[in-house]
Structures are given as C-alpha cells and as structure tokens.
Amino acid sequence: MISIIIPVLNEADNIGNLLHHINQNTLASNISEIIIVDGGSTDGTLQIISDFVASRDSDQREASYGEENKIVLNTKFQKRNFTRTDVQQSSDLSNPKTSSASQNQSKIVLVNSEKGRAKQMNFGAKHAKGSILYFLHADSFPPKDFDQLIINEVNNNNNAGCFRMQFDSKHWWLRLASWLTQFSWRACRGGDQSQFITRTLFDDIGGYDENYIIYEDNILINELYARNQFVVINKKLKTSARMYNKHGIWKVQYHFWTIYIKKMFGASAEELQAYYKKSVC
C-alpha cells in the first residue's frame, strides 16, 4: 500500500486539481491514504481541500442512494474550520462511515507542520501507514496508473525512484531538460519528478535532512544513488514551469546549476539557502 505525501504552502491554484487527478488515475485499493502536510497556508488551500472532500462525499452519497438495499450512515459532511494551534494536529478528512461507494476513493488526511518542505515531508511520513511512501509536489501530476507502476518496481526489488518529467511548457530548453530526465544521470534528478521509496529504506536513511531548506530532495537522492537504490520509471509526470515563467528560464537554470556545483564542492545547507534567497527569491 502506498502513502501519498503532499507538502503544501499556499497551493490553492493546484491542490484541488491534483486531488482530482489522483482519484482519477489510481486504485483506492493501492493507496493507504493521501496525506496533505500544510506549512501554514493563508490563500484558501485548506478550504479547497475541505470543499473537495465535501463534494466527493456528496457524489458518493448520491451513488449510494441509487443502490438497492444500501444503508447510508452519517452522510452529512461537517465542514471544519482548519485553524493552526501551537500543538500540531491531524485532521482526518475521510468519512469512515460512508457507504461502500467510498471504497472507490482514497482517504485524505490533513496535517499541520512547521514550514519547510523537508520538515513537512518527514512529518507526513510519521503519519503514513503504507509500506511505500510517495512524495509528490502539489504542482506535479503523475502518469495514469502511477500507483501500480510504483508497486511493480518495488515488487522487482527497486526500492526507490521517480518518473521522468515533462514541463508544461513548449520552450525548447525545458523540452530538452524534460527529455533528459529519462536517463539515470544524477544531475537530471529533482523533487519535481516525485519520489517513491519504501518505508524501510526511508527510515534506514533517516528521512529528509531538515537542515536543508532548499535542495532537500537532492540530498535524499544522493543517498539513494550512493546505495545503488534508484530507478527512473519511463512514464511522464507533468510538472509546472511556474518558477521559470516567473523569474526567467535562463536565470533560474543558471542559479540551479550554480547551487548544484556549490554542493559538489562542499557548500553547507546554510550557504545554499543564502545563495538561493539572494539570487532566486
């Protein structure tokens, strides 16, 4: 079973579409839960999640009414006001007492975490029940049947890996960069391609290094390459080119290359973050 873990921070433009995409392209029997880890969103992200679950529950109830001899229990969805407190809390957004129609949908769980993608992903992993963890960015849309593709790889003793990537852009450089992600070269890896990893291997590595505010995905990937535990699934995940569109393709690419080289020559997590804040943000 797969636990899908999605770190979010002000992802109102993407999270609803992603949840719909996941439900349309997976089997609920393969998914333990979808864990959304919020780092303090203020843009309506949480309301969109609430509305998505409410709409889904409503559809399930309507389907249940049309089934003979079915009893629907606790069908009224209670909207929740997602408020942050000093104590980290988990909000289970699934309705465990809905009819058998709910078996066609994956459970959605919302948890609040300190801001920082590494912290958020580790926090989500702590709540995960699946034997396979699948870390997914909110603006990345994996291919059809991605759940079964991941399970097939794990069954073939490939305990970690990603999908090849395609940017939602026709710019020639981003198309070339997308094409290169089919190869196993470490320089072509990044968090936007998503990351699957068995729970056992993730715990053995120690999870994401929370010292890294940026480049945290690559630090984990470096550990996997060092253990010869990485495979690229030759199916395309589509991801947003929004950062390139916002800051300029060549500017972003230059600074990403610089960060990569700085890390090769031993730059610390603090140095990488300072360079990123100065050059890209």
Side-chain angles (χ1 to χ4, degrees):
M1 295 282 281
I2 301 173
S3 292
I4 301 175
I5 300 169
I6 308 170
V8 297
L9 180 63
N10 295 331
E11 289 288 355
D13 291 339
N14 296 301
I15 191 61
N17 291 333
L18 178 59
L19 291 175
H20 178 75
H21 178 85
I22 291 172
N23 278 337
Q24 292 295 312
N25 290 280
T26 60
L27 291 175
S29 58
N30 286 338
I31 307 299
S32 178
E33 70 271 305
I34 302 169
I35 302 175
I36 304 171
V37 190
D38 180 60
S41 296
T42 59
D43 69 338
T45 295
L46 304 183
Q47 187 61 52
I48 289 173
I49 298 169
S50 174
D51 291 344
F52 176 87
V53 177
S55 175
R56 190 182 68 173
D57 285 354
S58 177
D59 291 342
Q60 290 170 357
R61 291 196 299 273
E62 290 178 6
S64 298
Y65 291 144
E67 297 179 12
E68 188 176 359
N69 297 324
K70 293 290 185 180
I71 298 176
V72 181
L73 302 177
N74 193 25
T75 58
K76 184 177 180 180
F77 180 83
Q78 300 294 330
K79 282 193 177 181
R80 299 174 184 169
N81 294 319
F82 295 107
T83 58
R84 300 184 60 79
T85 66
D86 293 334
V87 179
Q88 292 170 325
Q89 297 179 345
S90 170
S91 300
D92 186 349
L93 296 182
S94 67
N95 186 345
K97 295 184 179 181
T98 53
S99 73
S100 60
S102 65
Q103 298 303 312
N104 296 322
Q105 304 287 355
S106 300
K107 180 173 70 172
I108 297 176
V109 178
L110 174 71
V111 294
N112 295 328
S113 166
E114 292 183 53
K115 184 174 69 173
R117 199 150 55 195
K119 292 180 180 179
Q120 289 172 243
M121 291 188 290
N122 282 343
F123 194 68
K126 290 179 182 178
H127 286 77
K129 299 177 181 178
S131 59
I132 303 171
L133 307 177
Y134 183 50
F135 298 95
L136 182 64
H137 290 184
D139 62 348
S140 293
F141 294 76
K144 182 176 176 58
D145 301 326
F146 68 89
D147 53 330
Q148 191 60 52
L149 293 170
I150 291 171
I151 290 171
N152 292 345
E153 291 297 337
V154 173
N155 288 340
N156 287 329
N157 295 317
N158 293 317
N159 294 322
C162 69
F163 292 96
R164 61 182 294 188
M165 186 179 69
Q166 179 182 9
F167 282 109
D168 61 351
S169 170
K170 294 183 179 180
H171 189 279
W172 72 267
W173 173 253
L174 295 184
R175 292 177 64 185
L176 175 60
S178 299
W179 181 79
L180 290 171
T181 62
Q182 68 187 291
F183 302 108
S184 61
W185 306 327
R186 184 166 54 178
C188 295
R189 302 281 73 85
D192 286 335
Q193 293 173 262
S194 72
Q195 176 69 61
F196 76 86
I197 182 171
T198 62
R199 159 70 73 179
T200 300
L201 182 54
F202 184 80
D203 290 344
D204 185 54
I205 290 174
Y208 287 93
D209 189 336
E210 295 183 6
N211 292 315
Y212 286 84
I213 306 301
I214 64 162
Y215 209 73
E216 72 290 331
D217 294 298
N218 294 79
I219 297 300
L220 179 67
I221 290 169
N222 288 345
E223 288 288 339
L224 293 172
Y225 269 84
R227 297 165 186 246
N228 197 28
Q229 287 280 2
F230 204 93
V231 65
V232 180
I233 301 175
N234 194 25
K235 295 290 183 179
K236 294 180 182 178
L237 169 151
K238 181 171 284 189
T239 194
S240 171
R242 57 183 174 175
M243 179 171 287
Y244 291 93
N245 294 333
K246 179 179 180 181
H247 298 288
I249 290 174
W250 299 117
K251 176 183 177 180
V252 171
Q253 193 62 70
Y254 170 80
H255 291 307
F256 280 178
W257 278 336
T258 301
I259 289 170
Y260 181 81
I261 293 171
K262 281 179 175 289
K263 185 66 182 71
M264 283 181 60
F265 284 91
S268 67
E270 292 76 16
E271 289 171 329
L272 295 182
Q273 182 186 6
Y275 177 84
Y276 181 83
K277 291 180 65 175
K278 176 183 177 181
S279 304
V280 181
C281 290

